[in-house]
Amino acid sequence: MLHCLRSDGGRTEENLYAAVYNELRRIARNLKKTERKEHTLCTCSLVHEAYERLSAQQQTQWKNRSHFFAVASMTMRRVLINYARDRMALKRGGNAIPESLDETSCIAPGLDLEQLLELDQLLTELAAFDPMMVRIIECRYFTGLTIEETAEALSVSSSTVKRQWQLGRAWIKRRTEG
């Protein structure tokens, strides 16, 4: 379906959306475990926003399912970071009233907005000298992929994912404590 996406007038896109929707929702639900409780971005909103951005990428040639979900993890990170930045702008004087959606479908985060933005900054710094480590952190943290799923998505070994995941977490911890 990924290879036929651009050549069939939209029929494959509808089928693709149906095929990946549940997996994207699973990934978004995993984010609930890492975000704070007051987060008002719903799982459905995150999935729809990420999918909208993914489907708008006209130039992307999807290699396989793993490639699609690896890019989806980066996209979900960007959606969350943009959401956090927007919320911080509102927090600092904006007049918009946040809409709280159904509590059962909203992401329940552990990081506050400042911490999320700090994490994004740290990942941007880390990407300057180890982009693969950042991809692994995105897949594991932002989409909740397992070690094996991350290894498949990034075409690396499980031991590489484990090692890079541990090193990345240690690097972030050292940077935030120091």
Side-chain angles (χ1 to χ4, degrees):
M1 277 189 269
L2 291 169
H3 296 294
C4 298
L5 190 58
R6 302 289 173 235
S7 62
D8 73 345
R11 289 185 316 272
T12 301
E13 185 169 1
E14 292 173 17
N15 293 335
L16 175 64
Y17 186 72
V20 300
Y21 182 76
N22 286 334
E23 183 66 16
L24 290 174
R25 278 189 54 91
R26 183 192 67 78
I27 290 168
R29 277 193 304 272
N30 282 335
L31 290 172
K32 290 180 182 182
K33 299 172 187 170
T34 62
E35 298 286 331
R36 68 187 203 296
K37 288 185 179 185
E38 301 82 30
H39 204 295
T40 59
L41 182 62
C42 290
T43 302
C44 292
S45 297
L46 177 58
V47 169
H48 291 284
E49 180 68 25
Y51 188 81
E52 184 177 309
R53 290 181 186 192
L54 288 168
S55 65
Q57 295 182 15
Q58 300 293 322
Q59 303 303 323
T60 303
Q61 295 297 317
W62 304 112
K63 296 175 187 170
N64 54 35
R65 181 180 187 275
S66 297
H67 179 231
F68 177 83
F69 285 110
V71 174
S73 69
M74 289 184 284
T75 303
M76 285 188 182
R77 171 187 170 197
R78 290 183 188 122
V79 168
L80 287 170
I81 295 305
N82 289 341
Y83 179 80
R85 285 185 179 135
D86 291 347
R87 294 287 296 181
M88 290 300 294
L90 290 175
K91 187 176 175 181
R92 292 190 171 101
N95 294 332
I97 299 171
E99 288 185 32
S100 181
L101 301 171
D102 177 23
E103 288 299 317
T104 61
S105 64
C106 289
I107 296 172
L111 294 177
D112 63 26
L113 298 177
E114 289 92 3
Q115 290 171 321
L116 185 60
L117 292 174
E118 180 182 5
L119 176 60
D120 180 58
Q121 180 59 40
L122 289 172
L123 291 176
T124 301
E125 289 175 28
L126 182 59
F129 61 91
D130 198 338
M132 177 56 75
M133 189 178 292
V134 172
R135 299 287 82 79
I136 289 169
I137 292 170
E138 288 174 339
C139 287
R140 297 277 293 135
Y141 182 80
F142 287 97
T143 61
L145 296 180
T146 65
I147 300 256
E148 293 75 22
E149 290 169 333
T150 301
E152 182 184 342
L154 300 176
S155 300
V156 297
S157 69
S158 294
S159 60
T160 297
V161 171
K162 287 178 191 175
R163 184 178 55 255
Q164 294 283 64
W165 174 239
Q166 290 174 338
L167 288 171
R169 288 186 353 222
W171 185 86
I172 289 169
K173 184 177 181 182
R174 190 183 69 205
R175 295 284 300 197
T176 56
E177 291 176 351

